[in-house]
Amino acid sequence: MDRCVVLVDAGYLLGAAASLLAGESSRSRISVDHAELIGLLRERAEAETGLPLLRIYWFDAAPDRRPMPEHRRLRVMPRVTVRLGALTRADGRWVQKGVDAAMHAELSELARNRACADVVLVTGDGDLLPGMTAAKDYGVAVHLWAVQAADGDFNQSEDLVAEADERRVLDREWITRSVAVRELAPPCPPADPRPDIAKILSAPRPVEPVSDTPAQLAELGELDALAEDDAKPAPHRVPTPKEIADGLGRALPAAPAPQPAAPSTLRWSSDRGWVDRASESGGAADGLPTLTQLTTAEQKWADREEDITAIGGDPTEVGQVFAHRWTERLGDTARLSALWTDYPRIPHRVDGELLRYAARFGLLAHKDDQIDEHDRYAIRAGFWREIAARVPGGEGVGAEH
């Protein structure tokens, strides 16, 4: 069949591109315009083989083989098929499993069925040598593409290079048309007066320490320690968040002379900075139904179809999509206004459902051993941006994000 096929080992292509541009192979150091990259691969493959493209196969790995946002964007592009292996943790680093085997099987199957006349391999792994040899035996011309190596290093198997019919190098100029170095600083640093995440985590708690009574110290097993040194000041214990919410923090008497304690407050971080709110057992909108409770079976099917085919997986977009569906089906502006009074606090059940929805897109997954807090902030910012468009006084909130 007079067509060409491109098989891309994404781990090799993007890892080598990161090494070339950023000096290290971590893919987190680069940002990729996948639509542009696919277009460039197609254009170059058709030019070098002189044949129309049949398909681009994109081989990558993901935790539990669940597609990440980039995979979701890729698999709905024309002439692109995504194949996922497993991403597992071994000896303190991430390792992909099953990708080489999948590429070998696809290459052999395409050649055996004479689905193409030329195949382009973007890989450096010598494990594909048997598949390359088998494809040649079936009469397929094999083109091997390499990414320009950083500092002159060789980043492909010499056996692959020797066996290929044609070899080309994707140089720095070609790579930078769709790949750029990502800055080490947070991509969306909060503007004043919004505190950044580090300040939020390090901010002092507004709750004053409260001394325990002897009876309470006995319950805590601390009375013996106190008896050893009467000169020491009475130990202090900070109430737990549950005690604060239930108002118990104010019930613990201070030593030596009880003083009336100020009402405790809960502090919420948001795009408006710190928001102090009197502690209470629940917010004004805690009784609102969840999206699941508001969704019919037909709507659930349509939502899933839209998630697969139209939602790219950007965290802000995911938050907005969820809020749009929820508010449309709630259909009660008065209750949304009650929710707005609790901004930036999202009712617990709705917030949990929002984050579970985001997890479908690979968001909030472990990245470099850390939960991506920027994703979490962006998801909730997207939720509030949609709510702000539907309530009085919410115009412009989050518009700069």
Side-chain angles (χ1 to χ4, degrees):
M1 186 69 70
D2 292 338
R3 294 177 295 188
C4 68
V5 169
V6 181
L7 275 63
V8 179
D9 179 349
Y12 166 76
L13 173 59
L14 300 183
S19 295
L20 177 64
L21 302 181
E24 56 181 284
S25 60
S26 173
R27 288 162 60 171
S28 63
R29 289 299 318 278
I30 57 174
S31 58
V32 183
D33 184 340
H34 290 90
E36 179 69 14
L37 178 57
I38 292 299
L40 292 173
L41 288 170
R42 178 172 186 169
E43 177 185 342
R44 182 155 183 165
E46 292 181 336
E48 293 199 4
T49 64
L51 299 173
L53 177 77
L54 171 62
R55 191 173 297 115
I56 294 176
Y57 289 89
W58 186 273
F59 295 87
D60 205 354
D64 299 324
R65 290 186 167 88
R66 296 181 62 180
M68 303 295 283
E70 64 186 74
H71 304 138
R72 302 179 70 89
R73 290 191 290 270
L74 282 163
R75 67 185 184 180
V76 296
M77 293 181 185
R79 300 299 181 100
V80 176
T81 295
V82 176
R83 298 277 191 258
L84 292 180
L87 192 63
T88 59
R89 194 74 169 165
D91 298 327
R93 63 190 184 92
W94 290 106
V95 179
Q96 60 182 28
K97 299 290 186 182
V99 174
D100 297 335
M103 289 189 70
H104 179 281
E106 199 71 59
L107 176 58
S108 301
E109 193 71 14
L110 288 167
R112 183 183 303 111
N113 293 325
R114 303 188 183 280
C116 59
D118 290 53
V119 63
V120 175
L121 292 178
V122 186
T123 184
D125 198 330
D127 291 343
L128 277 178
L129 183 61
M132 177 186 288
T133 303
K136 291 176 63 178
D137 291 342
Y138 282 109
V140 174
V142 179
H143 303 251
L144 181 65
W145 290 1
V147 175
Q148 179 182 340
D151 301 325
D153 292 337
F154 202 76
N155 58 14
Q156 278 187 314
S157 163
E158 294 186 21
D159 292 332
L160 280 183
V161 174
E163 192 67 27
D165 294 307
E166 301 282 348
R167 183 173 184 265
R168 297 288 185 269
V169 175
L170 306 175
D171 59 18
R172 181 187 294 269
E173 180 182 357
W174 190 91
I175 292 292
T176 53
R177 292 169 67 183
S178 59
V179 181
V181 177
R182 178 176 290 159
E183 297 297 330
L184 291 176
C188 297
D192 291 336
R194 299 172 178 83
D196 58 27
I197 293 175
K199 292 180 180 178
I200 293 172
L201 296 178
S202 63
R205 295 177 176 82
V207 181
E208 294 294 333
V210 183
S211 299
D212 291 330
T213 64
Q216 292 165 334
L217 292 173
E219 292 177 359
L220 297 172
E222 298 174 354
L223 192 55
D224 292 339
L226 182 62
E228 292 176 1
D229 190 357
D230 293 335
K232 292 181 180 179
H236 298 280
R237 181 169 64 85
V238 177
T240 67
K242 184 176 186 304
E243 290 173 335
I244 296 173
D246 294 339
L248 297 180
R250 299 190 298 274
L252 299 176
Q259 298 292 332
S264 60
T265 58
L266 299 179
R267 306 190 77 194
W268 299 88
S269 60
S270 72
D271 58 355
R272 296 195 309 198
W274 285 112
V275 176
D276 290 353
R277 192 180 306 287
S279 63
E280 51 189 20
S281 58
D286 278 348
L288 288 171
T290 63
L291 177 61
T292 300
Q293 293 171 329
L294 298 169
T295 302
T296 65
E298 292 79 7
Q299 289 172 327
K300 183 177 180 181
W301 183 90
D303 290 349
R304 192 61 175 163
E305 180 75 11
E306 183 182 22
D307 290 344
I308 293 171
T309 60
I311 309 303
D314 175 77
T316 303
E317 176 194 21
V318 167
Q320 285 187 277
V321 168
F322 178 93
H324 176 78
R325 293 173 182 169
W326 184 66
T327 53
E328 283 290 319
R329 291 163 198 174
L330 182 65
D332 190 337
T333 306
R335 301 185 79 181
L336 285 184
S337 298
L339 171 66
W340 185 248
T341 63
D342 279 346
Y343 176 84
R345 176 184 177 274
I346 302 175
H348 177 71
R349 291 194 305 158
V350 176
D351 187 52
E353 190 177 40
L354 168 63
L355 297 181
R356 287 192 297 274
Y357 173 70
R360 296 181 189 174
F361 297 86
L363 301 173
L364 305 179
H366 287 276
K367 301 175 182 177
D368 298 327
D369 293 332
Q370 298 293 327
I371 294 177
D372 197 323
E373 290 294 337
H374 292 287
D375 280 358
R376 193 184 298 267
Y377 273 64
I379 292 163
R380 288 170 173 153
F383 176 90
W384 281 115
R385 182 182 299 180
E386 184 69 22
I387 299 299
R390 298 171 180 267
V391 297
E395 297 81 0
V397 170
E400 67 275 11
H401 285 280

